[in-house]
Protein backbone atom coordinates (compact mmCIF):
# COMPACT_ATOMS: atom_id res chain seq x y z
CA UNK A 1 0.00 0.00 0.00
CA UNK A 2 1.21 3.50 -0.85
CA UNK A 3 2.40 5.58 2.06
CA UNK A 4 0.19 8.63 2.59
CA UNK A 5 1.47 12.11 1.90
CA UNK A 6 2.37 14.25 4.94
CA UNK A 7 -0.80 16.33 4.49
CA UNK A 8 -3.04 13.26 4.28
CA UNK A 9 -1.17 11.68 7.19
CA UNK A 10 -1.97 14.70 9.38
CA UNK A 11 -5.58 14.75 8.20
CA UNK A 12 -6.03 11.05 8.97
CA UNK A 13 -4.65 11.58 12.47
CA UNK A 14 -7.03 14.51 13.00
CA UNK A 15 -9.95 12.36 11.80
CA UNK A 16 -8.92 9.62 14.27
CA UNK A 17 -8.96 12.14 17.13
CA UNK A 18 -12.37 13.46 16.07
CA UNK A 19 -13.75 9.92 15.92
CA UNK A 20 -12.42 9.18 19.38
CA UNK A 21 -13.78 12.44 20.77
CA UNK A 22 -17.31 11.93 19.41
CA UNK A 23 -17.19 8.16 19.94
CA UNK A 24 -17.66 7.19 16.31
CA UNK A 25 -15.61 4.54 14.48
CA UNK A 26 -12.76 5.79 12.29
CA UNK A 27 -12.62 4.82 8.58
CA UNK A 28 -9.62 5.01 6.24
CA UNK A 29 -11.32 4.97 2.84
CA UNK A 30 -8.33 3.28 1.22
CA UNK A 31 -9.42 0.12 3.05
CA UNK A 32 -12.94 0.12 1.57
CA UNK A 33 -14.14 -1.36 -1.71
CA UNK A 34 -16.99 0.99 -2.63
CA UNK A 35 -20.37 -0.48 -3.60
CA UNK A 36 -21.17 0.94 -7.06
CA UNK A 37 -24.89 0.08 -6.84
CA UNK A 38 -25.15 1.74 -3.43
CA UNK A 39 -23.49 4.88 -4.79
CA UNK A 40 -25.95 4.94 -7.68
CA UNK A 41 -28.94 4.61 -5.35
CA UNK A 42 -28.27 7.87 -3.47
CA UNK A 43 -28.81 11.30 -5.06
CA UNK A 44 -25.54 12.89 -6.09
CA UNK A 45 -26.69 16.31 -4.84
CA UNK A 46 -27.00 14.95 -1.28
CA UNK A 47 -23.51 13.48 -1.26
CA UNK A 48 -22.02 16.74 -2.53
CA UNK A 49 -24.08 19.00 -0.24
CA UNK A 50 -23.59 16.96 2.96
CA UNK A 51 -20.07 15.73 2.04
CA UNK A 52 -20.61 12.09 2.91
CA UNK A 53 -19.93 8.75 1.26
CA UNK A 54 -22.15 5.65 1.67
CA UNK A 55 -20.15 2.57 2.65
CA UNK A 56 -22.63 -0.20 3.43
CA UNK A 57 -26.41 -0.76 3.58
CA UNK A 58 -28.12 -3.40 5.76
CA UNK A 59 -31.87 -3.54 6.21
CA UNK A 60 -32.89 0.01 7.15
CA UNK A 61 -29.39 1.04 8.25
CA UNK A 62 -26.89 2.94 6.12
CA UNK A 63 -23.20 3.22 7.07
CA UNK A 64 -21.74 6.54 5.92
CA UNK A 65 -18.35 8.21 6.13
CA UNK A 66 -18.39 11.91 7.10
CA UNK A 67 -15.60 14.40 7.66
CA UNK A 68 -17.30 16.47 10.38
CA UNK A 69 -19.06 14.41 13.10
CA UNK A 70 -19.62 17.46 15.31
CA UNK A 71 -22.60 18.83 13.34
CA UNK A 72 -25.20 16.51 14.81
CA UNK A 73 -28.10 18.64 13.56
CA UNK A 74 -26.82 18.26 10.00
CA UNK A 75 -26.51 14.49 10.47
CA UNK A 76 -30.10 14.34 11.77
CA UNK A 77 -31.23 16.31 8.72
CA UNK A 78 -29.38 13.91 6.42
CA UNK A 79 -30.95 10.93 8.19
CA UNK A 80 -34.39 12.42 7.59
CA UNK A 81 -33.62 13.13 3.93
CA UNK A 82 -32.42 9.57 3.35
CA UNK A 83 -35.16 8.03 5.51
CA UNK A 84 -32.65 5.55 6.94
CA UNK A 85 -30.94 4.99 10.26
CA UNK A 86 -27.38 6.26 9.87
CA UNK A 87 -24.31 4.44 11.20
CA UNK A 88 -21.65 7.17 11.18
CA UNK A 89 -17.93 6.67 10.64
CA UNK A 90 -15.36 9.48 10.54
CA UNK A 91 -13.01 9.81 7.56
CA UNK A 92 -10.55 12.40 6.28
CA UNK A 93 -12.55 15.11 4.41
CA UNK A 94 -10.09 15.10 1.49
CA UNK A 95 -10.58 11.35 1.06
CA UNK A 96 -14.35 11.88 0.80
CA UNK A 97 -13.95 14.75 -1.70
CA UNK A 98 -11.43 12.88 -3.84
CA UNK A 99 -13.52 9.70 -3.88
CA UNK A 100 -16.63 11.65 -4.89
CA UNK A 101 -14.73 13.13 -7.82
CA UNK A 102 -12.92 9.98 -8.85
CA UNK A 103 -15.54 7.26 -8.71
CA UNK A 104 -19.10 6.56 -9.79
CA UNK A 105 -20.67 9.87 -8.62
CA UNK A 106 -18.44 11.93 -10.93
CA UNK A 107 -19.38 9.58 -13.77
CA UNK A 108 -23.03 10.36 -13.03
CA UNK A 109 -22.38 14.07 -13.56
CA UNK A 110 -21.63 13.19 -17.17
CA UNK A 111 -24.60 10.86 -17.49
CA UNK A 112 -27.04 13.41 -16.03
CA UNK A 113 -25.70 16.13 -18.33
CA UNK A 114 -26.11 13.74 -21.25
CA UNK A 115 -29.69 12.86 -20.29
CA UNK A 116 -30.68 16.50 -20.09
CA UNK A 117 -29.08 17.17 -23.44
CA UNK A 118 -31.09 14.40 -25.06
CA UNK A 119 -34.28 16.12 -23.91
CA UNK A 120 -33.46 19.75 -24.67
CA UNK A 121 -32.49 21.66 -27.78
CA UNK A 122 -29.42 23.84 -27.49
CA UNK A 123 -30.43 27.50 -27.26
CA UNK A 124 -27.17 29.36 -27.01
CA UNK A 125 -23.41 29.13 -27.31
CA UNK A 126 -22.05 30.87 -24.23
CA UNK A 127 -18.45 31.10 -23.20
CA UNK A 128 -17.48 28.33 -20.80
CA UNK A 129 -17.68 29.13 -17.09
CA UNK A 130 -14.14 29.73 -15.90
CA UNK A 131 -14.71 27.97 -12.58
CA UNK A 132 -15.15 24.21 -12.92
CA UNK A 133 -16.02 22.14 -9.86
CA UNK A 134 -18.20 19.16 -9.01
CA UNK A 135 -20.44 21.36 -6.84
CA UNK A 136 -20.91 23.85 -9.69
CA UNK A 137 -21.81 21.16 -12.21
CA UNK A 138 -24.31 19.55 -9.82
CA UNK A 139 -26.04 22.80 -8.84
CA UNK A 140 -25.95 24.65 -12.18
CA UNK A 141 -29.30 23.87 -13.78
CA UNK A 142 -29.86 27.13 -15.64
CA UNK A 143 -27.16 27.16 -18.33
CA UNK A 144 -27.56 25.54 -21.72
CA UNK A 145 -27.51 21.72 -21.57
CA UNK A 146 -24.74 21.76 -24.20
CA UNK A 147 -22.64 24.08 -22.04
CA UNK A 148 -23.14 21.75 -19.07
CA UNK A 149 -22.27 18.71 -21.16
CA UNK A 150 -18.99 20.16 -22.47
CA UNK A 151 -18.07 21.53 -19.03
CA UNK A 152 -18.76 18.11 -17.51
CA UNK A 153 -16.61 16.35 -20.13
CA UNK A 154 -13.73 18.76 -19.43
CA UNK A 155 -14.13 18.55 -15.65
CA UNK A 156 -14.17 14.73 -15.67
CA UNK A 157 -11.05 14.68 -17.86
CA UNK A 158 -9.19 16.98 -15.46
CA UNK A 159 -10.26 14.99 -12.39
CA UNK A 160 -9.13 11.73 -13.95
CA UNK A 161 -5.66 13.03 -14.91
CA UNK A 162 -6.35 12.84 -18.66
CA UNK A 163 -3.72 14.25 -21.01
CA UNK A 164 -6.15 14.39 -23.95
CA UNK A 165 -9.94 14.28 -24.47
CA UNK A 166 -11.08 12.63 -27.71
CA UNK A 167 -14.53 13.23 -29.22
CA UNK A 168 -15.04 10.73 -32.05
CA UNK A 169 -17.92 10.76 -34.56
CA UNK A 170 -19.09 7.26 -35.47
CA UNK A 171 -21.81 6.32 -37.95
CA UNK A 172 -24.46 5.94 -35.22
CA UNK A 173 -23.03 7.64 -32.11
CA UNK A 174 -20.55 10.12 -30.67
CA UNK A 175 -17.93 8.57 -28.37
CA UNK A 176 -16.00 10.54 -25.73
CA UNK A 177 -12.68 9.09 -24.51
CA UNK A 178 -9.95 10.21 -22.11
CA UNK A 179 -6.28 9.36 -22.58
CA UNK A 180 -5.08 8.43 -19.11
CA UNK A 181 -1.53 7.16 -18.55
CA UNK A 182 -1.16 6.90 -22.32
CA UNK A 183 -4.23 4.66 -22.84
CA UNK A 184 -7.66 5.68 -24.18
CA UNK A 185 -10.64 4.94 -21.92
CA UNK A 186 -14.32 5.64 -22.59
CA UNK A 187 -15.40 8.61 -20.47
CA UNK A 188 -19.18 8.20 -20.69
CA UNK A 189 -21.94 6.29 -22.52
CA UNK A 190 -22.09 7.12 -26.25
CA UNK A 191 -24.13 10.17 -27.25
CA UNK A 192 -26.83 10.17 -29.92
CA UNK A 193 -25.36 10.80 -33.39
CA UNK A 194 -27.69 13.71 -34.22
CA UNK A 195 -26.11 15.90 -31.52
CA UNK A 196 -22.54 15.60 -32.84
CA UNK A 197 -22.69 18.89 -34.76
CA UNK A 198 -23.83 20.93 -31.75
CA UNK A 199 -21.18 19.39 -29.52
CA UNK A 200 -18.38 20.27 -31.95
CA UNK A 201 -19.88 23.74 -32.48
CA UNK A 202 -19.74 24.41 -28.73
CA UNK A 203 -16.06 23.45 -28.66
CA UNK A 204 -15.36 25.64 -31.71
CA UNK A 205 -17.00 28.63 -30.00
CA UNK A 206 -14.84 28.10 -26.88
CA UNK A 207 -11.70 27.92 -29.07
CA UNK A 208 -12.78 30.86 -31.26
CA UNK A 209 -12.80 28.81 -34.47
CA UNK A 210 -14.95 29.19 -37.60
CA UNK A 211 -18.20 27.34 -36.85
CA UNK A 212 -19.27 27.48 -40.51
CA UNK A 213 -16.16 25.70 -41.81
CA UNK A 214 -16.54 21.92 -41.61
CA UNK A 215 -14.38 20.66 -44.48
CA UNK A 216 -10.83 21.52 -43.40
CA UNK A 217 -8.91 20.96 -40.15
CA UNK A 218 -8.85 23.79 -37.60
CA UNK A 219 -6.66 24.42 -34.56
CA UNK A 220 -7.33 26.71 -31.62
CA UNK A 221 -7.09 27.00 -27.86
CA UNK A 222 -9.09 28.12 -24.83
CA UNK A 223 -8.63 28.37 -21.07
CA UNK A 224 -10.73 27.39 -18.06
CA UNK A 225 -10.25 27.92 -14.35
CA UNK A 226 -9.95 24.78 -12.26
CA UNK A 227 -9.05 24.56 -8.58
CA UNK A 228 -8.10 28.23 -8.63
CA UNK A 229 -5.60 28.00 -11.50
CA UNK A 230 -5.89 28.49 -15.27
CA UNK A 231 -5.71 25.40 -17.49
CA UNK A 232 -4.97 25.77 -21.21
CA UNK A 233 -6.53 23.50 -23.81
CA UNK A 234 -5.18 23.03 -27.33
CA UNK A 235 -8.02 22.09 -29.69
CA UNK A 236 -7.72 20.20 -32.97
CA UNK A 237 -10.81 19.76 -35.17
CA UNK A 238 -10.53 17.20 -37.96
CA UNK A 239 -13.18 16.37 -40.63
CA UNK A 240 -13.95 12.65 -41.06
CA UNK A 241 -16.44 10.62 -43.09
CA UNK A 242 -18.92 10.72 -40.17
CA UNK A 243 -18.57 14.43 -39.39
CA UNK A 244 -15.95 16.29 -37.40
CA UNK A 245 -13.79 14.82 -34.63
CA UNK A 246 -12.16 16.87 -31.88
CA UNK A 247 -9.12 16.29 -29.67
CA UNK A 248 -8.55 18.55 -26.67
CA UNK A 249 -4.94 18.44 -25.40
CA UNK A 250 -4.78 19.48 -21.74
CA UNK A 251 -1.83 21.81 -21.14
CA UNK A 252 -1.77 22.18 -17.38
CA UNK A 253 1.50 23.99 -16.73
CA UNK A 254 1.07 23.61 -12.96
CA UNK A 255 -0.39 20.11 -12.83
CA UNK A 256 2.79 18.14 -12.25
CA UNK A 257 2.19 16.06 -9.16
CA UNK A 258 3.75 17.05 -5.84
CA UNK A 259 6.97 15.16 -6.52
CA UNK A 260 7.35 17.18 -9.76
CA UNK A 261 7.11 20.53 -7.98
CA UNK A 262 10.89 20.39 -7.71
CA UNK A 263 11.42 18.71 -11.08
CA UNK A 264 14.57 16.57 -11.07
CA UNK A 265 15.75 13.56 -13.04
CA UNK A 266 15.46 11.19 -10.09
CA UNK A 267 11.64 11.48 -9.98
CA UNK A 268 11.21 10.28 -13.58
CA UNK A 269 11.93 6.61 -12.86
CA UNK A 270 15.35 5.96 -14.43
CA UNK A 271 17.63 3.54 -12.60
CA UNK A 272 20.40 4.91 -10.37
CA UNK A 273 23.02 3.61 -12.77
CA UNK A 274 21.51 5.39 -15.78
CA UNK A 275 20.94 8.58 -13.78
CA UNK A 276 24.60 8.69 -12.82
CA UNK A 277 25.64 8.37 -16.48
CA UNK A 278 23.08 10.93 -17.72
CA UNK A 279 24.00 13.50 -15.07
CA UNK A 280 27.59 13.37 -16.22
CA UNK A 281 26.58 14.35 -19.76
CA UNK A 282 24.18 17.17 -18.82
CA UNK A 283 27.01 18.84 -16.86
CA UNK A 284 29.46 18.86 -19.77
CA UNK A 285 30.61 22.39 -20.79
CA UNK A 286 29.43 22.00 -24.41
CA UNK A 287 28.05 19.45 -26.88
CA UNK A 288 24.61 17.98 -27.54
CA UNK A 289 22.38 15.88 -25.29
CA UNK A 290 19.73 14.28 -27.49
CA UNK A 291 16.56 12.50 -26.29
CA UNK A 292 14.55 10.35 -28.68
CA UNK A 293 11.29 8.42 -28.64
CA UNK A 294 7.76 8.56 -30.06
CA UNK A 295 5.21 11.27 -29.28
CA UNK A 296 4.11 11.08 -25.65
CA UNK A 297 7.17 9.22 -24.37
CA UNK A 298 8.20 11.95 -21.92
CA UNK A 299 11.14 13.40 -23.89
CA UNK A 300 10.33 17.04 -23.08
CA UNK A 301 9.78 16.30 -19.38
CA UNK A 302 13.22 14.66 -19.24
CA UNK A 303 14.83 17.75 -20.80
CA UNK A 304 12.97 20.03 -18.37
CA UNK A 305 14.21 17.92 -15.46
CA UNK A 306 17.78 18.12 -16.78
CA UNK A 307 17.54 21.92 -17.14
CA UNK A 308 16.05 22.23 -13.63
CA UNK A 309 19.03 20.34 -12.19
CA UNK A 310 21.75 22.36 -13.92
CA UNK A 311 20.26 25.87 -14.01
CA UNK A 312 22.05 28.52 -11.99
CA UNK A 313 22.34 32.30 -11.81
CA UNK A 314 25.72 32.06 -13.54
CA UNK A 315 24.30 30.62 -16.77
CA UNK A 316 21.93 32.02 -19.39
CA UNK A 317 19.51 29.25 -20.46
CA UNK A 318 17.16 29.82 -23.41
CA UNK A 319 14.63 27.37 -24.86
CA UNK A 320 12.55 27.36 -28.03
CA UNK A 321 9.55 25.04 -27.88
CA UNK A 322 6.32 24.13 -29.67
CA UNK A 323 4.45 24.75 -27.40
CA UNK A 324 5.93 25.82 -24.04
CA UNK A 325 4.36 23.08 -21.91
CA UNK A 326 5.80 23.80 -18.43
CA UNK A 327 7.29 27.04 -17.19
CA UNK A 328 10.69 26.91 -15.48
CA UNK A 329 11.69 29.81 -13.28
CA UNK A 330 14.99 31.38 -14.28
CA UNK A 331 14.86 30.07 -17.87
CA UNK A 332 13.95 32.17 -20.93
CA UNK A 333 11.35 30.19 -22.89
CA UNK A 334 10.27 31.09 -26.44
CA UNK A 335 7.19 29.55 -28.11
CA UNK A 336 7.37 28.69 -31.83
CA UNK A 337 4.87 30.70 -33.92
CA UNK A 338 5.03 29.45 -37.50
CA UNK A 339 2.11 31.67 -38.61
CA UNK A 340 4.23 34.70 -37.75
CA UNK A 341 7.40 33.17 -39.21
CA UNK A 342 9.03 32.16 -35.91
CA UNK A 343 10.25 28.65 -36.73
CA UNK A 344 12.73 26.53 -34.77
CA UNK A 345 15.54 27.50 -37.18
CA UNK A 346 14.81 31.24 -37.13
CA UNK A 347 14.32 31.28 -33.36
CA UNK A 348 17.53 29.33 -32.82
CA UNK A 349 19.52 31.88 -34.86
CA UNK A 350 18.13 34.69 -32.71
CA UNK A 351 18.87 32.77 -29.51
CA UNK A 352 22.55 32.54 -30.45
CA UNK A 353 22.70 36.35 -30.58
CA UNK A 354 21.44 36.50 -26.96
CA UNK A 355 24.69 35.11 -25.55
CA UNK A 356 23.30 31.85 -24.11
CA UNK A 357 25.32 29.24 -22.22
CA UNK A 358 22.81 26.44 -22.59
CA UNK A 359 20.08 26.00 -25.22
CA UNK A 360 17.08 23.72 -25.48
CA UNK A 361 15.50 23.10 -28.90
CA UNK A 362 12.10 21.43 -28.51
CA UNK A 363 12.52 19.24 -31.60
CA UNK A 364 14.82 18.91 -34.60
CA UNK A 365 12.57 18.46 -37.64
CA UNK A 366 14.63 19.60 -40.62
CA UNK A 367 18.13 20.04 -41.97
CA UNK A 368 18.35 23.77 -41.20
CA UNK A 369 17.50 23.35 -37.51
CA UNK A 370 19.83 20.35 -37.27
CA UNK A 371 22.76 22.26 -38.80
CA UNK A 372 22.33 25.28 -36.50
CA UNK A 373 21.96 23.08 -33.39
CA UNK A 374 25.08 21.10 -34.27
CA UNK A 375 27.10 24.26 -34.98
CA UNK A 376 25.94 25.64 -31.61
CA UNK A 377 27.14 22.48 -29.86
CA UNK A 378 30.50 22.66 -31.68
CA UNK A 379 31.07 26.32 -30.78
CA UNK A 380 30.89 26.13 -27.01
CA UNK A 381 27.18 25.77 -26.18
CA UNK A 382 25.48 22.89 -24.38
CA UNK A 383 22.44 21.99 -26.50
CA UNK A 384 19.49 19.88 -25.31
CA UNK A 385 17.10 18.64 -27.99
CA UNK A 386 14.78 15.84 -29.14
CA UNK A 387 14.18 13.97 -32.36
CA UNK A 388 11.59 11.34 -33.30
CA UNK A 389 13.22 7.91 -33.68
CA UNK A 390 12.62 4.43 -32.29
CA UNK A 391 15.96 3.86 -30.56
CA UNK A 392 19.41 5.36 -30.11
CA UNK A 393 20.82 3.86 -33.32
CA UNK A 394 17.88 4.96 -35.47
CA UNK A 395 18.78 8.56 -34.55
CA UNK A 396 21.97 8.26 -36.56
CA UNK A 397 20.17 7.33 -39.79
CA UNK A 398 17.56 10.04 -39.10
CA UNK A 399 20.24 12.75 -39.10
CA UNK A 400 21.89 11.28 -42.18
CA UNK A 401 18.50 11.41 -43.95
CA UNK A 402 18.30 15.10 -43.05
CA UNK A 403 21.53 15.63 -44.97
CA UNK A 404 23.78 16.20 -41.94
CA UNK A 405 27.48 15.34 -42.35
CA UNK A 406 28.33 12.36 -40.08
CA UNK A 407 31.59 13.93 -38.92
CA UNK A 408 29.92 17.09 -37.61
CA UNK A 409 27.09 15.12 -36.06
CA UNK A 410 29.20 12.64 -34.06
CA UNK A 411 31.63 15.39 -33.01
CA UNK A 412 28.78 17.41 -31.51
CA UNK A 413 26.99 14.58 -29.71
CA UNK A 414 27.65 13.81 -26.05
CA UNK A 415 25.00 11.13 -25.70
CA UNK A 416 21.66 9.84 -27.02
CA UNK A 417 18.88 8.79 -24.63
CA UNK A 418 15.97 6.73 -26.01
CA UNK A 419 13.05 6.50 -23.63
CA UNK A 420 9.52 5.20 -23.18
CA UNK A 421 6.89 5.40 -20.46
CA UNK A 422 5.35 2.31 -18.84
CA UNK A 423 2.32 2.33 -16.56
CA UNK A 424 2.87 1.75 -12.83
CA UNK A 425 0.77 -0.83 -10.98
CA UNK A 426 -1.76 0.89 -8.68
CA UNK A 427 -0.44 0.77 -5.11
CA UNK A 428 -3.96 0.55 -3.68
CA UNK A 429 -4.93 -2.73 -5.37
CA UNK A 430 -1.48 -4.18 -6.08
CA UNK A 431 -1.19 -7.92 -5.39
CA UNK A 432 1.06 -10.86 -6.36
CA UNK A 433 0.19 -12.55 -9.64
CA UNK A 434 1.03 -15.84 -11.30
CA UNK A 435 2.65 -15.73 -14.74
CA UNK A 436 2.55 -18.94 -16.75
CA UNK A 437 5.60 -20.58 -18.31
CA UNK A 438 4.06 -19.95 -21.75
CA UNK A 439 3.71 -16.21 -21.04
CA UNK A 440 7.36 -16.04 -19.96
CA UNK A 441 8.52 -17.81 -23.12
CA UNK A 442 6.33 -15.59 -25.30
CA UNK A 443 8.04 -12.63 -23.64
CA UNK A 444 11.44 -14.03 -24.64
CA UNK A 445 12.39 -14.97 -21.07
CA UNK A 446 14.06 -18.03 -19.65
CA UNK A 447 11.40 -19.52 -17.36
CA UNK A 448 14.02 -21.13 -15.11
CA UNK A 449 15.84 -17.82 -14.56
CA UNK A 450 12.58 -16.06 -13.66
CA UNK A 451 11.00 -18.75 -11.48
CA UNK A 452 11.96 -16.99 -8.22
CA UNK A 453 10.70 -13.55 -9.32
CA UNK A 454 7.47 -12.34 -7.69
CA UNK A 455 5.17 -10.76 -10.29
CA UNK A 456 2.47 -8.24 -9.40
CA UNK A 457 -0.73 -6.94 -10.95
CA UNK A 458 -3.56 -4.54 -10.13
CA UNK A 459 -7.08 -5.98 -10.56
CA UNK A 460 -8.57 -2.46 -10.48
CA UNK A 461 -10.09 -0.31 -7.76
CA UNK A 462 -11.77 3.12 -7.40
CA UNK A 463 -8.40 4.80 -6.90
CA UNK A 464 -7.16 3.76 -10.37
CA UNK A 465 -10.53 3.85 -12.15
CA UNK A 466 -10.57 0.07 -12.50
CA UNK A 467 -7.47 -0.04 -14.75
CA UNK A 468 -5.02 -1.52 -12.25
CA UNK A 469 -2.49 1.22 -13.07
CA UNK A 470 -1.89 4.69 -11.66
CA UNK A 471 0.79 6.92 -13.18
CA UNK A 472 3.75 6.11 -15.42
CA UNK A 473 7.49 5.76 -15.03
CA UNK A 474 10.34 6.12 -17.52
CA UNK A 475 12.59 3.45 -18.99
CA UNK A 476 15.56 4.30 -21.17
CA UNK A 477 18.68 3.26 -23.03
CA UNK A 478 21.62 5.66 -22.97
CA UNK A 479 24.29 5.59 -25.68
CA UNK A 480 27.48 7.41 -24.69
CA UNK A 481 29.36 8.80 -27.72
CA UNK A 482 32.76 7.35 -26.89
CA UNK A 483 35.71 7.46 -29.27
CA UNK A 484 35.14 3.84 -30.32
CA UNK A 485 31.44 4.50 -31.11
CA UNK A 486 32.37 7.64 -33.11
CA UNK A 487 34.91 5.70 -35.13
CA UNK A 488 32.42 2.92 -35.93
CA UNK A 489 29.84 5.47 -37.11
CA UNK A 490 32.34 7.29 -39.35
CA UNK A 491 33.45 3.95 -40.77
CA UNK A 492 29.77 3.19 -41.51
CA UNK A 493 29.90 -0.13 -39.67
CA UNK A 494 26.70 -2.21 -39.33
CA UNK A 495 24.16 -1.34 -36.64
CA UNK A 496 24.62 -4.77 -35.03
CA UNK A 497 28.30 -4.03 -34.45
CA UNK A 498 27.52 -0.60 -33.02
CA UNK A 499 25.02 -2.16 -30.62
CA UNK A 500 27.48 -4.89 -29.58
CA UNK A 501 30.20 -2.34 -28.75
CA UNK A 502 27.73 -0.07 -26.97
CA UNK A 503 26.55 -3.01 -24.83
CA UNK A 504 30.15 -3.87 -24.02
CA UNK A 505 30.72 -0.26 -22.90
CA UNK A 506 27.76 -0.35 -20.53
CA UNK A 507 24.60 0.48 -22.50
CA UNK A 508 21.40 -1.08 -21.09
CA UNK A 509 18.72 -1.59 -23.75
CA UNK A 510 15.12 -0.41 -23.45
CA UNK A 511 13.97 -4.00 -23.05
CA UNK A 512 16.44 -4.68 -20.23
CA UNK A 513 15.40 -1.46 -18.50
CA UNK A 514 11.73 -2.49 -18.79
CA UNK A 515 12.41 -6.00 -17.43
CA UNK A 516 14.13 -4.43 -14.43
CA UNK A 517 10.86 -2.60 -13.65
CA UNK A 518 9.06 -5.96 -13.72
CA UNK A 519 11.61 -7.50 -11.36
CA UNK A 520 11.09 -4.59 -8.95
CA UNK A 521 7.30 -5.09 -9.01
CA UNK A 522 6.68 -1.67 -10.54
CA UNK A 523 4.90 -2.77 -13.72
CA UNK A 524 3.62 -5.90 -15.46
CA UNK A 525 5.02 -8.16 -18.14
CA UNK A 526 2.04 -7.45 -20.40
CA UNK A 527 2.63 -3.70 -20.09
CA UNK A 528 6.30 -3.83 -21.12
CA UNK A 529 5.46 -6.13 -24.04
CA UNK A 530 3.23 -3.34 -25.36
CA UNK A 531 6.02 -0.78 -25.13
CA UNK A 532 9.22 -2.65 -26.04
CA UNK A 533 10.15 -5.37 -28.54
CA UNK A 534 10.39 -8.92 -27.26
CA UNK A 535 13.96 -10.18 -27.55
CA UNK A 536 14.88 -13.84 -27.92
CA UNK A 537 15.95 -15.51 -24.69
CA UNK A 538 19.70 -15.81 -24.43
Amino acid sequence: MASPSPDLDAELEQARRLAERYRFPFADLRDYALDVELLRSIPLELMVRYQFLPLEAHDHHLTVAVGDPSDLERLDELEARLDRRLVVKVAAPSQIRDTLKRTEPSQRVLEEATEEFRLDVIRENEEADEGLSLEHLVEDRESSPMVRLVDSIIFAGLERRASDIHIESHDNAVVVKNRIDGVLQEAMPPLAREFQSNLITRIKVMAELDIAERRVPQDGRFRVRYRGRPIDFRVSIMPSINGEDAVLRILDKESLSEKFRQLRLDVLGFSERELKRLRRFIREPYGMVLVTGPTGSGKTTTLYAALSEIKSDEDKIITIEDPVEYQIRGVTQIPVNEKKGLTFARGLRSILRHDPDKIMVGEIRDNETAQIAIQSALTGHLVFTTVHANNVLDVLSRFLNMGVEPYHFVSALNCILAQRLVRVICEFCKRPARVSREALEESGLDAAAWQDVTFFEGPGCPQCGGTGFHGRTAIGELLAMTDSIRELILEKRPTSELRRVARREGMITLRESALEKVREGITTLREINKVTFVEAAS
Side-chain angles (χ1 to χ4, degrees), residues 225-259:
R225 187 165 297 282
Y226 166 75
R227 293 189 178 180
R229 66 176 188 268
I231 309 289
D232 289 322
F233 286 77
R234 195 169 68 208
V235 179
S236 176
I237 307 290
M238 181 73 69
S240 71
I241 58 172
N242 294 313
E244 291 177 295
D245 288 8
V247 174
L248 282 61
R249 165 64 58 91
I250 300 173
L251 301 173
D252 185 357
K253 297 185 179 71
E254 301 177 25
S255 76
L256 294 172
S257 59
E258 286 302 318
K259 66 180 181 179

Side-chain angles (χ1 to χ4, degrees), residues 310-346:
I310 64 171
K311 69 184 177 73
S312 71
D313 293 337
E314 297 175 354
D315 289 330
K316 174 86 167 183
I317 302 177
I318 306 178
T319 76
I320 180 161
E321 308 167 54
D322 183 21
V324 175
E325 293 185 21
Y326 315 133
Q327 293 175 356
I328 306 176
R329 186 170 297 169
V331 175
T332 302
Q333 296 175 269
I334 303 167
V336 164
N337 188 339
E338 294 194 358
K339 290 181 180 178
K340 301 292 186 182
L342 179 53
T343 61
F344 276 115
R346 185 173 179 182

Side-chain angles (χ1 to χ4, degrees), residues 313-456:
D313 293 337
E314 297 175 354
D315 289 330
K316 174 86 167 183
I317 302 177
I318 306 178
T319 76
I320 180 161
E321 308 167 54
D322 183 21
V324 175
E325 293 185 21
Y326 315 133
Q327 293 175 356
I328 306 176
R329 186 170 297 169
V331 175
T332 302
Q333 296 175 269
I334 303 167
V336 164
N337 188 339
E338 294 194 358
K339 290 181 180 178
K340 301 292 186 182
L342 179 53
T343 61
F344 276 115
R346 185 173 179 182
L348 188 49
R349 281 200 201 90
S350 298
I351 286 173
L352 291 173
R353 293 194 287 270
H354 267 255
D355 187 29
D357 297 288
K358 298 173 176 63
I359 301 167
M360 173 179 146
V361 183
E363 183 185 347
I364 291 180
R365 299 173 180 171
D366 53 52
N367 174 271
E368 188 179 8
T369 308
Q371 296 285 7
I372 302 170
I374 289 169
Q375 287 302 319
S376 303
L378 291 172
T379 54
H381 303 91
L382 184 60
V383 179
F384 296 84
T385 189
T386 73
V387 69
H388 284 289
N390 289 323
N391 55 55
V392 292
L393 299 177
D394 285 350
V395 171
L396 306 175
S397 58
R398 183 76 196 277
F399 271 82
L400 293 176
N401 290 337
M402 287 184 194
V404 177
E405 286 292 330
Y407 178 76
H408 290 143
F409 175 55
V410 297
S411 300
L413 265 180
N414 293 348
C415 68
I416 306 173
L417 171 68
Q419 75 173 68
R420 301 288 190 278
L421 296 176
V422 294
R423 290 185 293 172
V424 175
I425 301 169
C426 173
E427 288 290 337
F428 294 96
C429 61
K430 183 176 181 178
R431 68 184 186 191
R434 182 184 173 277
V435 176
S436 67
R437 186 183 186 89
E438 291 77 13
L440 288 172
E441 290 173 353
E442 288 172 3
S443 300
L445 303 177
D446 181 354
W450 283 74
Q451 63 181 357
D452 296 329
V453 174
T454 302
F455 294 90
F456 291 90

Side-chain angles (χ1 to χ4, degrees), residues 487-499:
E487 288 169 7
L488 289 173
I489 293 171
L490 293 175
E491 292 171 7
K492 298 183 179 179
R493 305 303 287 270
T495 301
S496 57
E497 187 175 347
L498 277 170
R499 181 172 290 274

